Amino acid sequence: MEEFQRAIDRDPTNADGYYNLAACYHRLASLYHRPNDIAQAERYYYLCLDRAPNHRECYRGLAVLLVQQDRKEEAFRLLQGWTDRNPGSPDPKIELARLYEEFGDREKAKQLLADALLTDASNARALAALGRIREMEGDVGQALANYQKALSSNPFQPEVAARVAALNSAVFARSSSPMNGDSIAVARPSTPVR
């Protein structure tokens, strides 16, 4: 934290310094549940956004903090506002979709991801997120197609590569099985692939 504070002291316009301090306080708040840590985390997240109004990681961190504080509506307003201010950017739509998915509204999440892909058809994060939702819904073929396209856009996604391998393995096992049933049992991803 001292290093991040020194970075801010050297360059008060450095949004990443504020974000890193916010993330540290957020981590402390999660560990110790101290109100001062929560307040400091929120303060530094907002200071980051003042300096970099499209700081994706900051929006995500602040939204998580708000949800953890039972301020779900504020989290949705935060991300919706970011989306409204940046209609040509896929990032706000992807983060808002992620929040909708986390609260169980997959349809709204899919709609937002589709909108993000209209803006940037090869956005690896949007494709991977859409693949995850498709996989959770049991649409293995479409999930695999989304994951593969995400990997072609950005091959440095080990979680996505693991999902492709698992799905391919399941499809191969199904096709070579003498009891060729309709369902494919695939281990679900334990962490989001975004």
Side-chain angles (χ1 to χ4, degrees):
M1 289 175 69
E2 290 174 10
E3 286 298 317
F4 297 139
Q5 186 62 56
R6 275 196 284 276
I8 290 171
D9 291 343
R10 282 191 303 272
D11 181 5
T13 64
N14 181 348
D16 289 333
Y18 292 96
Y19 167 74
N20 288 325
L21 268 176
C24 287
Y25 277 110
H26 191 164
R27 179 78 177 132
L28 290 173
S30 296
L31 290 172
Y32 302 112
H33 308 288
R34 295 183 301 220
N36 188 50
D37 293 334
I38 296 166
Q40 287 289 75
E42 187 171 349
R43 177 176 166 261
Y44 282 115
Y45 280 135
Y46 279 114
L47 287 170
C48 171
L49 293 176
D50 286 345
R51 284 146 185 85
N54 290 309
H55 198 290
R56 185 184 78 213
E57 294 84 3
C58 189
Y59 273 103
R60 179 66 187 155
L62 181 54
V64 168
L65 180 73
L66 293 171
V67 168
Q68 289 171 340
Q69 299 305 307
D70 295 322
R71 296 160 61 192
K72 169 183 141 183
E73 292 80 17
E74 286 180 62
F76 275 101
R77 277 196 307 272
L78 173 77
L79 296 180
Q80 185 62 59
W82 183 33
T83 302
D84 294 344
R85 288 187 303 278
N86 296 280
S89 174
D91 286 338
K93 295 174 182 90
I94 294 166
E95 290 304 323
L96 186 56
R98 189 175 187 173
L99 191 60
Y100 272 107
E101 180 192 338
E102 288 170 2
F103 280 94
D105 191 343
R106 289 185 192 156
E107 290 306 312
K108 181 66 175 175
K110 286 191 294 189
Q111 176 188 350
L112 285 161
L113 292 170
D115 289 347
L117 289 168
L118 286 175
T119 304
D120 178 1
S122 62
N123 186 291
R125 291 180 64 239
L127 288 162
L130 192 54
R132 176 179 162 76
I133 292 172
R134 297 289 190 198
E135 183 179 355
M136 290 183 335
E137 292 177 337
D139 189 349
V140 175
Q142 190 59 53
L144 192 54
N146 290 137
Y147 286 151
Q148 288 170 331
K149 191 168 180 186
L151 281 176
S152 71
S153 293
N154 176 6
F156 302 105
Q157 300 179 84
E159 303 88 5
V160 176
R163 295 314 310 148
V164 168
L167 291 176
N168 276 331
S169 177
V171 168
F172 177 76
R174 178 177 174 242
S175 67
S176 64
S177 170
M179 305 262 316
N180 205 355
D182 289 336
S183 64
I184 297 176
V186 179
R188 297 286 184 228
S190 59
T191 57
V193 285
R194 300 186 196 188

